[in-house]
Amino acid sequence: MQMTLKRIHREITDLKKEDLGSISLGPKSEDNPYIWAARIPGPEGSVYQGGVFEAEIVLPQDYPCVLSVCYRHCVPNKNRQVHRAESHTNNPVCL
């Protein structure tokens, strides 16, 4: 577990050095580095423009040796209707 925390903290440090543009990614709180939140804007010029994809990423206790799980959902653009089941589901996805 100690190696996992070192790895997570190194990745947090590395992320702070990156220019992610309008993407946000990082732990939801300083108290629990195993649960991360991501917000990814829909690409410009696509039907997803103006929407935001939000995800919660759960890192296992023995990360990175075991896959992370991502719970995602889409906050759609209010001006467009997008009917894609995979972008509106809360089913987990392994990363």
Side-chain angles (χ1 to χ4, degrees), residues 39-61:
R39 288 181 53 88
I40 305 167
E44 290 184 24
S46 75
V47 295
Y48 300 105
Q49 181 174 339
V52 177
F53 294 90
E54 295 180 338
E56 180 176 277
I57 302 161
V58 180
L59 304 176
Q61 295 292 323

Side-chain angles (χ1 to χ4, degrees), residues 14-42:
D14 290 346
L15 270 174
K16 289 179 181 178
K17 298 175 187 174
E18 295 290 327
D19 177 12
L20 300 177
S22 56
I23 295 172
S24 68
L25 173 65
K28 287 178 88 170
S29 75
E30 291 184 20
D31 298 334
N32 187 351
Y34 293 97
I35 300 177
W36 288 41
R39 288 181 53 88
I40 305 167

